[in-house]
Coordinates of all heavy atoms in Angstrom, one line a residue:
A777 N 148.6 17.6 105.3 CA 150.0 17.1 105.1 C 150.8 18.3 104.4 O 150.3 19.1 103.7 CB 150.0 15.9 104.3
S778 N 152.1 18.3 104.6 CA 153.0 19.1 103.9 C 154.0 18.3 103.2 O 154.1 17.1 103.3 CB 153.7 20.1 105.0 OG 154.6 19.3 105.7
G779 N 154.9 19.0 102.4 CA 156.1 18.3 101.8 C 156.0 18.2 100.3 O 155.3 19.0 99.6
L780 N 156.7 17.3 99.8 CA 157.0 17.2 98.4 C 155.8 16.9 97.5 O 155.1 15.8 97.7 CB 158.1 16.1 98.1 CG 158.5 16.0 96.7 CD1 159.1 17.3 96.1 CD2 159.6 14.9 96.6
L781 N 155.5 17.9 96.6 CA 154.4 17.7 95.6 C 155.0 18.1 94.3 O 155.0 19.3 93.9 CB 153.3 18.6 96.0 CG 152.0 18.4 95.0 CD1 151.3 17.1 95.2 CD2 151.0 19.5 95.3
P782 N 155.6 17.1 93.5 CA 156.0 17.5 92.2 C 155.0 18.0 91.3 O 153.9 17.4 91.2 CB 156.7 16.2 91.7 CG 156.9 15.3 92.9 CD 155.8 15.7 93.9
I783 N 155.2 19.2 90.7 CA 154.3 19.8 89.7 C 154.8 19.6 88.3 O 156.0 20.1 88.1 CB 154.1 21.3 90.1 CG1 153.6 21.4 91.5 CG2 153.1 21.9 89.1 CD1 152.2 21.0 91.8
C784 N 154.1 19.0 87.5 CA 154.5 18.8 86.1 C 153.9 20.0 85.2 O 152.6 20.1 85.2 CB 154.1 17.4 85.6 SG 154.9 16.1 86.4
L785 N 154.7 20.6 84.5 CA 154.2 21.7 83.6 C 154.4 21.3 82.1 O 155.4 20.7 81.7 CB 155.0 23.0 83.8 CG 154.9 23.5 85.3 CD1 155.8 24.7 85.5 CD2 153.5 23.9 85.7
G786 N 153.5 21.7 81.2 CA 153.6 21.4 79.8 C 153.7 19.9 79.5 O 152.9 19.1 80.0
E787 N 154.7 19.5 78.6 CA 154.9 18.2 78.2 C 155.2 17.2 79.4 O 154.9 16.0 79.3 CB 156.0 18.1 77.2 CG 155.6 18.6 75.8 CD 154.6 17.7 75.2 OE1 155.0 16.6 74.6 OE2 153.4 18.0 75.2
A788 N 155.6 17.8 80.5 CA 155.9 17.0 81.7 C 154.6 16.2 82.3 O 154.7 15.2 82.9 CB 156.6 17.8 82.8
T789 N 153.5 16.8 81.9 CA 152.2 16.2 82.4 C 152.0 14.8 81.8 O 151.4 14.0 82.4 CB 151.0 17.1 82.1 OG1 151.0 17.3 80.6 CG2 151.1 18.4 82.8
K790 N 152.7 14.5 80.7 CA 152.6 13.2 80.0 C 153.4 12.2 80.9 O 153.2 11.0 80.7 CB 153.2 13.2 78.6 CG 152.4 14.0 77.7 CD 152.9 14.0 76.3 CE 152.1 14.8 75.3 NZ 152.6 14.8 73.9
L791 N 154.2 12.6 81.8 CA 155.1 11.7 82.5 C 154.6 11.6 84.0 O 155.1 10.9 84.8 CB 156.5 12.2 82.6 CG 157.2 12.4 81.2 CD1 158.5 13.0 81.3 CD2 157.2 11.0 80.4
S792 N 153.5 12.3 84.3 CA 153.0 12.4 85.7 C 152.6 11.0 86.2 O 152.7 10.6 87.4 CB 151.9 13.4 85.9 OG 150.8 13.0 85.1
G793 N 152.1 10.2 85.3 CA 151.6 8.8 85.7 C 152.7 8.0 86.2 O 152.5 7.1 87.1
F794 N 154.0 8.1 85.7 CA 155.1 7.4 86.2 C 155.5 7.8 87.6 O 155.9 6.9 88.4 CB 156.4 7.5 85.3 CG 156.1 7.1 83.8 CD1 155.8 8.0 82.8 CD2 156.1 5.7 83.6 CE1 155.5 7.5 81.5 CE2 155.9 5.3 82.3 CZ 155.6 6.1 81.3
L795 N 155.3 9.0 88.0 CA 155.5 9.5 89.3 C 154.4 9.1 90.2 O 154.6 8.8 91.4 CB 155.7 11.0 89.4 CG 157.1 11.5 88.8 CD1 157.1 13.0 88.7 CD2 158.2 10.9 89.5
L796 N 153.1 9.0 89.7 CA 152.0 8.6 90.5 C 152.3 7.1 91.0 O 151.9 6.7 92.1 CB 150.7 8.6 89.7 CG 150.0 10.0 89.6 CD1 148.9 9.9 88.5 CD2 149.4 10.3 90.9
A797 N 152.9 6.4 90.1 CA 153.2 4.9 90.4 C 154.4 4.7 91.3 O 154.7 3.5 91.6 CB 153.3 4.1 89.1
A798 N 155.2 5.7 91.5 CA 156.4 5.6 92.2 C 156.3 5.4 93.7 O 155.2 5.8 94.3 CB 157.3 6.8 92.0
D799 N 157.3 4.9 94.4 CA 157.3 4.8 95.9 C 157.3 6.2 96.4 O 157.8 7.1 95.8 CB 158.5 4.0 96.3 CG 158.4 2.5 96.0 OD1 157.3 2.0 95.6 OD2 159.4 1.8 96.2
K800 N 156.9 6.2 97.7 CA 156.8 7.5 98.5 C 157.5 7.3 99.8 O 157.6 6.2 100.3 CB 155.4 8.0 98.7 CG 154.5 8.0 97.5 CD 154.8 8.9 96.4 CE 153.8 9.1 95.4 NZ 153.5 7.8 94.6
R801 N 158.0 8.4 100.4 CA 158.6 8.4 101.7 C 158.0 9.5 102.6 O 157.9 10.6 102.1 CB 160.1 8.5 101.7 CG 160.7 8.3 103.1 CD 162.3 8.4 102.9 NE 162.8 7.3 102.2 CZ 163.2 6.1 102.8 NH1 163.0 5.9 104.1 NH2 163.7 5.1 102.1
Y802 N 157.6 9.1 103.8 CA 156.9 10.1 104.7 C 157.5 10.1 106.0 O 158.0 9.1 106.5 CB 155.4 9.7 104.8 CG 154.5 9.7 103.6 CD1 154.4 8.5 102.8 CD2 153.9 10.9 103.2 CE1 153.6 8.5 101.7 CE2 153.1 10.8 102.0 CZ 153.0 9.6 101.3 OH 152.2 9.6 100.2
R803 N 157.4 11.2 106.7 CA 157.6 11.3 108.2 C 156.3 11.7 108.8 O 155.6 12.6 108.4 CB 158.7 12.3 108.5 CG 159.1 12.3 110.0 CD 160.4 13.1 110.2 NE 161.5 12.3 109.6 CZ 162.6 12.8 109.3 NH1 162.9 14.1 109.7 NH2 163.6 12.1 108.8

């Protein structure tokens, strides 16, 4: 697969779980 892979750096890693739980869209 290709496409959107949000990368969290530093303190943003504490918020990655909220994006893991988010809806996704694919083609």
Side-chain angles (χ1 to χ4, degrees):
S778 68
L780 181 57
L781 183 68
I783 302 289
C784 294
L785 303 174
E787 285 292 281
T789 57
K790 293 181 177 179
L791 305 174
S792 60
F794 297 101
L795 290 172
L796 277 167
D799 286 352
K800 314 294 191 296
R801 187 177 290 273
Y802 300 91
R803 183 168 295 165

